[in-house]
Amino acid sequence: MNIPVLQQQVEEWVHWLAAYGADPAGGVTRLLYTASWAEAQQALEQKMKENGLDTYYDEAGNLYGRLASADAEEGTILTGSHVDTVKRGGKYDGAFGIVAGLLALRYLKENYGPPARNIEMVSLCEEEGSRFPLTFWGSTNITGTAPFHKIKQIRDEKGISFVEAMNEAGFGLGRYRNPRREDIVSFIELHIEQGAILERESIPIGIVEQIVGQKRYSISCIGEANHAGTTPMAWRADALRGASEMIVAIMDAADRVGAPLVATAGKIEAEPNVSNVIPNKTTFTLDIRHPQGDALDAFCEASIAACDTIARNRGLRLQVEKQLDARPIDMDAALARRIEAICREQGLSYKRMPSGAGHDAQIMAGQYPSSLIFVPSHRGLSHHPAEYTAEKDLAAGVRVLIQLLYELGYEKEAK
Ligand code: GLV
Ligand code: MN
Ligand code: MN
């Protein structure tokens, strides 16, 4: 393996993909089914073809590149990550796993020819939940667990319905294959850590053992709009004041519980959002994560109860909508051992660790043996335009991926 060339190529391809959806204000914005998302998928499709892969889409908009085996009965080894981003996200979250998959498949094809079982890469259509209140649309379509009942109701900030956006992008119209996959033998996701542990400890590879559980809510407080100058404080039903109290109460409780629990209110909207009108409605999101399901449930229940009490005290009506309930899940132990052995052979130090971020691997792991491999993130910055991973670290991840895909795809007895 020519490591300097690999380093240069992985870096170049990450930057190439980041041009699709490059935000003039900095960072990358590729929301599901938007023009920049479609352009990125089309450019990837072209690059997959140029590099000798058979390409195809499924009905959800997941894009695949295949290195076909003569023996389809042997199932498929799948690698990849998501092409969508948060608003003004970084260049590496999701994108690195796609670019790495493409480089790895090209390397395997050039050096070893057709594999013993199919090896495929996937550019998953959606993971972040940044445009619509729905996450993991790409991977849940593959595992057959997508919440189809939800997509009929949800809309983006501009009022465009999910189904309309999907159809507009050409998906959900019966043109492509059914997304459900029954043939996957293993799923491997290579991803940036999005935390600072690997960098601080100077370790190039993280082998994820478990992905945290995560719940997301949208919480609305409904009060009454009124004149900011003529309404005494005691007579108000101020929705923004109630929401503020709720957020502070939940964050204080999270401080008291401490690590590994984390709680975030990342988005807030007030109505009518006018300086001299008491807000009649305020909606905020709540994202709560913990590696133990029971502890996660208990904290969420206590948080909702606290909101309820504050709403009653403030004369507000409370609406709570649960948008995500992902259980903590273990990655496959045999794959983790195999990755450890590869790291040892390649002289790379590694660390077994949990993931606090959500990943498609957690959805895939519900159905197929799955693995999540991390490379360091500079300063642990992620979901941020300054997200960065050094090219030598990107290349180390790709080398591990290549060897793992080789063992799983070319050595028939390996799984
Ligand atoms: C996805 O990136 C998440 O962890 O929110
Ligand atoms: Mn992300
Ligand atoms: Mn990601």
Side-chain angles (χ1 to χ4, degrees), residues 103-325:
L103 273 168
L105 265 63
R106 183 182 74 170
Y107 181 89
L108 293 170
K109 184 179 162 85
E110 281 176 358
N111 287 276
Y112 306 104
R117 44 171 81 92
N118 295 327
I119 308 178
E120 294 190 20
M121 60 162 294
V122 60
S123 171
L124 294 161
C125 62
E126 198 277 343
E127 181 258 11
E128 301 279 10
S130 292
R131 179 172 179 188
F132 296 97
L134 178 91
T135 44
F136 304 115
W137 177 241
S139 45
T140 54
N141 265 277
I142 293 172
T143 55
T145 54
F148 284 102
H149 59 283
K150 263 197 184 175
I151 64 166
K152 301 217 168 64
Q153 298 143 20
I154 56 178
R155 292 179 179 273
D156 70 5
E157 277 171 1
K158 295 186 183 135
I160 301 170
S161 81
F162 189 98
V163 175
E164 205 180 320
M166 177 166 64
N167 293 166
E168 184 68 23
F171 298 98
L173 296 166
R175 291 185 192 152
Y176 302 99
R177 56 167 281 174
N178 183 336
R180 178 79 177 103
R181 297 292 296 258
E182 313 263 11
D183 60 321
I184 295 172
V185 177
S186 312
F187 175 71
I188 317 294
E189 182 168 10
L190 182 58
H191 204 283
I192 54 165
E193 180 197 344
Q194 307 180 277
I197 292 170
L198 293 175
E199 182 178 77
R200 280 181 187 223
E201 299 184 9
S202 299
I203 295 175
I205 299 291
I207 304 173
V208 174
E209 294 188 300
Q210 193 210 31
I211 301 179
V212 294
Q214 181 183 162
K215 291 195 182 195
R216 284 191 202 173
Y217 298 89
S218 170
I219 299 183
S220 295
C221 300
I222 297 145
E224 188 176 44
N226 209 336
H227 197 289
T230 62
T231 318
M233 296 306 281
W235 296 357
R236 298 176 176 213
D238 181 338
L240 180 49
R241 182 170 180 186
S244 311
E245 263 182 59
M246 291 173 195
I247 293 169
V248 171
I250 294 166
M251 298 305 139
D252 284 351
D255 284 344
R256 283 193 300 276
V257 172
L261 178 100
V262 283
T264 306
K267 181 174 173 187
I268 186 161
E269 280 164 350
E271 289 177 23
N273 213 16
V274 172
S275 58
N276 60 352
V277 182
I278 298 164
N280 62 299
K281 183 172 181 190
T282 300
T283 302
F284 63 97
T285 58
L286 201 56
D287 175 313
I288 301 178
R289 307 184 190 203
H290 197 289
Q292 283 146 22
D294 293 352
L296 177 66
D297 292 343
F299 188 82
C300 290
E301 270 166 39
S303 298
I304 304 302
C307 292
D308 210 41
T309 306
I310 293 165
R312 264 188 278 111
N313 292 344
R314 291 255 161 233
L316 302 168
R317 199 153 55 78
L318 190 71
Q319 284 174 352
V320 178
E321 189 195 320
K322 199 198 288 174
Q323 295 182 331
L324 173 67
D325 187 351

